[in-house]
Amino acid sequence: MDQLALLFVLLLGAVVTVPLGDRLGLPAPVLMTIGGVVLALVPVVPNVDIPPEYILPLVLPPLLYASAQRTSWRQFAANVRPILLLAVALVFVTTAAVAAVANAVVPGLPLAASVALGALVAPPDPVAATAVAGQLGLPRRLVSILEGEGLFNDVTAIVLYHVAVGAAVSGTFSWPEALGEFVLSAVVALAVGLALGWVTNRLMGRLGDATLQIGLTLLVPFVAYTVAEELQGSGVLAVLVTALFLAEYATDADDVLGRLAGHTFWEIVDTLVTGVAFGLIGLELHHVFGTARGREEQMALWAAVVVLVVVGVRLLWLLPAGWLAKRLHSRRDYAEEIPVSWRESTVMWWAGMRGVASVALALAIPLKTDAGDPFPARDQIVFIAFAVIMVTLLCQGLTLPWLVRKLGVEADEDLERETERRLAIRAAKAAKRRLQEIEGAEDLPDDLLEVLYRRAYDVGARISPDMVDEERREAYAKRVERIRDVQRIQREMMSAARHEVLAARSEPGADPEIVDRVLRHLDVRSLRNP
């Protein structure tokens, strides 16, 4: 089996593990990691051979872009204090604690390399955490915190990592210089992200076609990352800023097909890249553990100490930080997404699994320094990093469902329904207002107006049936039943039409392009009139 065949096996696994995980009640990233471990034991499967300098640019930009689409700039601005307190600051604390302990217990590990180790194991993985949280029915507030924490932890940790690796490679380190590099990296990334977001927004408006727009969004995260890195900025921060800018300003409410197609496309990209990344974790274990041959007990002891530091620091930070965030939150006049009890803080602690970012950073450690010497203690760093990843990902990922059930942390369904109800009422009122404007400007028949007013009302009732009273709800339920009958029959009619057109495609003399054009017309009509 060659490298290309191995890649296709991982891609297939990424697709298969999603339904398998749903059936087994396990997160797909954990299953892909286990699958990678199993593959690594097969003699015909080769070792992964990816140059370290390609890991970060290929893996992180699409994952960050896909994750950023699930949040918004306004959500970040409203929750900047919890994010800084519960996320960004924790990266610095974890990095410092791991660096101090690793520098003390691992012989020959210089301070700069210790900081690199601390930075690469500091950020929890938002993909793994939200994959688990989505299956457990956690409060949306906690899921938002985990997503925001993962995004901004990655940015902070990767900047720290680059500063530390640069010091280890060059052999020199200066705190003022490192701080200046940190600030410059952030400023350049913000400038690149905003500029690229503005340019992309203008281009998308001119392209018009959904296919071209989606193709552009695929290129954007890689361009943002590469340009920022070339200008000595943070590539991950540039990707994040670009994604948030586009989510805020490049959304056309009437572009239904483009939005649905774009959402589907990025779900596919996210699934495939995540699967490959977590599969690589398992595959790399065979090579990583091979580096410990002859000193397994010693390196396992170092790894165990670092794992305890990573897990312990998160707990010791989150419990008081959650209490402080709650105290500060009581003085605010708007809602912030914070853990509201020690149970939620405990779930957040145990959901701090390491994953894709840590793997990418560990594998991206250079092989040599500027002087041509081997990177100091690279094998030990990679071994310890993978131990942290495997322990947190498998142990915490597999036991988190049990902990959530034990603590009784679950989504507030009443609050979610009430929020949905308010949005449904706003949607129905907006539709009714627009209809009244049209009624004032145009002379519409009474029977048509009656139908249109009913449909304006149905806009909200379809989203949230609870918005209507009991009597009207019963009448609406009967009307919905009739509508469903009509839709069912209409779907069967459209299906017969599509089958007939497809049959014409294989007839002698048929023009496939014309057939596909007619079929696309039927598909679009079916989508708009389900």
Side-chain angles (χ1 to χ4, degrees):
M1 179 184 293
D2 59 15
Q3 297 288 321
L4 184 60
L6 178 59
L7 174 61
F8 286 126
V9 169
L10 291 177
L11 291 172
L12 177 61
V15 174
V16 172
T17 53
V18 173
L20 182 61
D22 292 339
R23 180 169 297 183
L24 297 177
L26 297 174
V30 173
L31 288 179
M32 275 301 299
T33 305
I34 297 173
V37 173
V38 173
L39 277 176
L41 300 176
V42 179
V44 298
V45 175
N47 289 328
V48 178
D49 184 21
I50 303 177
E53 63 270 18
Y54 292 156
I55 299 291
L56 290 176
L58 290 177
V59 172
L60 285 183
L63 291 180
L64 286 170
Y65 190 87
S67 298
Q69 289 184 319
R70 292 190 286 267
T71 184
S72 69
W73 178 256
R74 295 182 187 277
Q75 186 181 39
F76 164 67
N79 296 285
V80 62
R81 185 162 54 189
I83 288 175
L84 292 175
L85 185 62
L86 301 178
V88 177
L90 183 55
V91 169
F92 285 96
V93 174
T94 305
T95 300
V98 171
V101 171
N103 183 252
V105 302
V106 181
L109 185 66
L111 181 60
S114 301
V115 174
L117 172 61
L120 70 89
V121 299
D125 184 75
V127 177
T130 53
V132 176
Q135 294 180 338
L136 299 180
L138 290 178
R140 181 59 204 167
R141 179 182 60 261
L142 281 191
V143 177
S144 297
I145 295 174
L146 291 171
E147 289 177 343
E149 178 192 14
L151 286 172
F152 291 96
N153 268 348
D154 283 352
V155 171
T156 309
I158 291 172
V159 173
L160 286 175
Y161 167 87
H162 281 307
V163 171
V165 168
V169 168
S170 64
T172 60
F173 180 77
S174 167
W175 279 111
E177 185 177 327
L179 182 60
E181 183 179 340
F182 190 94
V183 173
L184 176 64
S185 176
V187 172
V188 170
L190 285 170
V192 170
L194 291 173
L196 186 60
W198 183 84
V199 171
T200 304
N201 186 26
R202 298 297 296 267
L203 278 176
M204 291 180 70
R206 296 190 180 278
L207 289 174
D209 184 75
T211 303
L212 299 177
Q213 290 177 343
I214 295 170
L216 179 62
T217 63
L218 177 60
L219 298 176
V220 162
F222 295 103
V223 173
Y225 185 93
T226 304
V227 171
E229 290 290 326
E230 288 293 324
L231 297 176
Q232 306 302 313
S234 168
V236 291
L237 181 57
V239 174
L240 181 58
V241 172
T242 302
L244 291 176
F245 184 96
L246 293 176
E248 187 75 19
Y249 297 106
T251 301
D252 183 359
D254 295 325
D255 186 16
V256 178
L257 294 178
R259 186 162 49 251
L260 291 175
H263 176 77
T264 302
F265 174 81
W266 276 104
E267 285 287 328
I268 294 171
V269 171
D270 194 20
T271 299
L272 294 180
V273 177
T274 299
V276 170
F278 280 98
L280 287 175
I281 297 176
L283 284 169
E284 281 290 333
L285 283 179
H286 180 70
H287 172 70
V288 169
F289 289 153
T291 62
R293 191 169 292 113
R295 45 180 180 167
E296 291 88 350
E297 292 185 5
Q298 186 181 36
M299 291 183 71
L301 178 61
W302 299 338
V305 172
V306 174
V307 169
L308 289 176
V309 171
V310 168
V311 176
V313 166
R314 182 172 175 84
L315 176 63
L316 294 176
W317 179 267
L318 280 179
L319 288 177
W323 173 83
L324 179 60
K326 189 176 180 180
R327 288 289 300 268
L328 295 174
H329 166 69
S330 63
R331 304 175 186 175
R332 304 291 287 265
D333 58 356
Y334 59 86
E336 290 177 317
E337 290 166 341
I338 59 172
V340 297
S341 68
W342 67 268
R343 291 181 175 84
E344 292 189 358
S345 294
T346 303
V347 169
M348 276 196 64
W349 161 56
W350 203 242
M353 296 162 279
R354 272 58 180 176
V356 175
S358 296
V359 173
L361 293 174
L363 296 180
I365 294 176
L367 299 176
K368 295 184 178 298
T369 65
D370 289 344
D373 301 322
F375 190 93
R378 186 181 191 276
D379 289 344
Q380 292 92 318
I381 292 174
V382 175
F383 181 91
I384 293 171
F386 269 79
V388 173
I389 293 163
M390 292 304 296
V391 171
T392 57
L393 185 61
L394 295 182
C395 293
Q396 294 178 231
L398 294 175
T399 57
L400 184 60
W402 172 85
L403 181 66
V404 170
R405 289 193 299 269
K406 199 72 175 177
L407 294 179
V409 177
E410 57 186 19
D412 188 344
E413 296 182 357
D414 292 338
L415 177 61
E416 291 183 1
R417 279 197 296 268
E418 178 58 27
T419 303
E420 191 175 76
R421 178 178 174 275
R422 288 198 298 267
L423 286 173
I425 292 174
R426 288 178 58 181
K429 286 183 176 179
K432 187 176 179 180
R433 276 197 308 271
R434 182 55 184 149
L435 178 57
Q436 289 172 341
E437 293 171 359
I438 295 173
E439 180 186 4
E442 302 180 22
D443 185 17
L444 299 176
D446 292 340
D447 56 341
L448 178 58
L449 279 173
E450 183 181 352
V451 172
L452 291 174
Y453 271 108
R454 188 185 303 129
R455 290 191 177 182
Y457 178 80
D458 289 350
V459 167
R462 285 193 181 191
I463 300 172
S464 177
D466 294 338
M467 65 176 284
V468 298
D469 55 43
E470 186 65 31
E471 181 179 351
R472 299 176 74 179
R473 194 180 305 158
E474 292 179 2
Y476 175 73
K478 292 179 181 179
R479 190 162 68 251
V480 166
E481 187 176 353
R482 290 195 302 270
I483 292 173
R484 285 175 179 167
D485 289 338
V486 172
Q487 290 176 341
R488 175 180 55 81
I489 296 171
Q490 184 172 328
R491 280 195 299 268
E492 294 182 11
M493 293 165 55
M494 297 301 293
S495 175
R498 286 191 296 269
H499 278 83
E500 186 67 24
V501 172
L502 274 174
R505 202 176 196 277
S506 59
E507 294 175 357
D511 187 333
E513 185 175 347
I514 296 176
V515 173
D516 289 344
R517 191 189 311 158
V518 174
L519 186 62
R520 193 178 302 113
H521 173 79
L522 293 174
D523 289 340
V524 171
R525 182 170 179 182
S526 299
L527 181 64
R528 291 177 174 172
N529 298 285

